[in-house]
């Protein structure tokens, strides 16, 4: 399985935790980890390489060509790094036909094989929509981004990428032009661009399985009429996503899955030690 991460150095500690959860919970799989990172030192790279090697995975640093960003507009406090997952097909080797992008603020708690082998047809991406009991965000975002024909507003934290189709359809100049033309409307720029330009070519996957919003346990439980309880999560969910500003690596975090995250923090510390 090919896995992609993009980050700056501030997210290096949670990336290590995420990697340990991914590699421990997918025994027997061969992983190639592709990483585009800003500000990482040689020591950082060496540590990540050793961590991957400990589990038999191979780390591939992704070279960033500065020329790609000569015409790329930036927004407020968002930097050029926001484009990395959108430009993944240009950054990655031509030999790759599929890769799974994951945010560093996730835990993998089960096998990803079924997700990775999803039949995508001619879809560009497969992703999840974070539905609510009253999903107000979807109609608002459809108006804001002019995506009335899309299934909804997709979260870009987990993206299964169909690289041959993306290479044919996703052009950097289209992305840069969209950002420039809509800069006043963009709230989460890379996610907004993904939905605004390509929302109709994203295959929807079950969020409870592959992009579980760790803030919304009670919402999932109520919406499923009690089915999606903790036993269900442990047995079925593959990816927990710690969305929002409150993160489980901070001491003040009080979310339901905080203890689980701290457990993997300890495991990561041992592996790095």
């Amino acid at each position: 399985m090919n896995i992609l991460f993009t980050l700056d150095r501030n997210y290096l500690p949670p990336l290590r935790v995420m990697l340990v959860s991914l590699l421990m919970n997918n025994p027997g799989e061969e992983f190639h980890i592709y990483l585009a990172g800003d500000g990482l030192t040689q020591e950082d790279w060496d540590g990540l390489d050793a961590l991957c090697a400990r589990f038999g995975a191979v780390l591939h640093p992704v070279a960033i060509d500065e020329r790609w960003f000569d015409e790329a507009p930036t927004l407020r406090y968002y930097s050029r790094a926001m484009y990395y997952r959108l430009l993944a097909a240009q950054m990655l080797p031509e030999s790759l036909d599929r890769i799974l992008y994951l945010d560093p603020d996730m835990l993998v708690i089960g096998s990803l094989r079924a997700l990775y082998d999803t039949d995508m047809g001619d879809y560009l991406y497969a992703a999840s929509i974070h539905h609510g009991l009253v999903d107000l965000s979807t109609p608002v975002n459809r108006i804001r981004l002019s995506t009335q024909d899309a299934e909804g507003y997709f979260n870009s934290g987990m993206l299964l990428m169909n690289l041959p189709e993306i290479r044919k359809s996703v052009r950097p100049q289209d992305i840069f032009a969209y950002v420039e033309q809509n800069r006043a409307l963009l709230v989460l720029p890379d996610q907004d661009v993904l939905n605004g330009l390509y929302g109709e070519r994203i295959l929807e996957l079950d969020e409870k399985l592959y992009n579980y919003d760790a803030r919304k346990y009670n919402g999932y439980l109520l919406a499923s009429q009690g089915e999606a309880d903790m036993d269900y999560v442990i047995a079925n969910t593959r990816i927990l996503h710690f969305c929002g500003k409150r993160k489980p690596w901070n001491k003040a975090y009080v979310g339901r899955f905080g203890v689980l995250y701290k457990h993997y923090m300890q495991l990561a510390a041992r592996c790095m030690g």
Side-chain angles (χ1 to χ4, degrees), residues 160-192:
L160 185 60
M161 300 184 177
N162 185 349
L163 293 175
E165 290 296 325
I166 293 173
R167 291 185 186 108
K168 289 189 291 186
S169 302
V170 176
R171 303 190 307 164
Q173 56 266 41
D174 293 340
I175 293 170
F176 299 153
Y178 186 88
V179 171
E180 187 63 48
Q181 294 164 10
N182 296 278
R183 59 170 59 237
L185 300 174
L186 303 182
V187 179
L188 300 170
D190 53 345
Q191 189 163 279
D192 283 349

Side-chain angles (χ1 to χ4, degrees), residues 9-117:
R9 196 166 188 270
N10 293 326
Y11 267 78
L12 185 57
L15 173 65
R16 296 185 185 116
V17 177
M18 149 57 109
L19 276 172
V20 168
S21 73
L22 167 70
L23 299 172
M24 288 189 68
N25 290 315
N26 285 267
E29 296 286 1
E30 179 182 343
F31 281 102
H32 288 265
I33 308 297
Y34 291 82
L35 176 60
D38 277 350
L40 273 64
T41 67
Q42 188 59 51
E43 183 180 1
D44 296 333
W45 285 108
D46 290 344
L48 290 170
D49 188 57
L51 178 61
C52 289
R54 183 185 182 107
F55 292 93
V58 180
L59 178 66
H60 302 272
V62 177
I64 306 299
D65 189 333
E66 301 290 337
R67 293 172 297 177
W68 292 338
F69 302 97
D70 288 344
E71 301 177 11
T74 55
L75 297 169
R76 300 187 294 278
Y77 54 88
Y78 294 97
S79 68
R80 68 177 195 177
M82 73 180 185
Y83 294 107
Y84 287 172
R85 80 186 101 180
L86 296 171
L87 299 178
Q90 284 72 35
M91 296 161 51
L92 294 166
E94 286 282 339
S95 58
L96 300 186
D97 61 1
R98 178 170 295 215
I99 201 164
L100 175 63
Y101 170 84
L102 297 172
D103 271 352
D105 60 347
M106 290 177 157
L107 281 181
V108 175
I109 60 172
S111 170
L112 297 186
R113 175 49 63 185
L115 167 61
Y116 194 81
D117 289 344

Side-chain angles (χ1 to χ4, degrees), residues 16-17 20 51 54 262-273:
R16 296 185 185 116
V17 177
V20 168
L51 178 61
R54 183 185 182 107
K262 295 294 195 299
H263 169 67
Y264 281 99
M265 284 181 67
Q266 290 186 337
L267 292 175
R270 292 172 191 164
C271 290
M272 296 299 296

Side-chain angles (χ1 to χ4, degrees), residues 190-203:
D190 53 345
Q191 189 163 279
D192 283 349
V193 172
L194 182 79
N195 282 274
L197 284 177
Y198 310 113
E200 295 178 36
R201 296 193 63 187
I202 302 177
L203 174 66

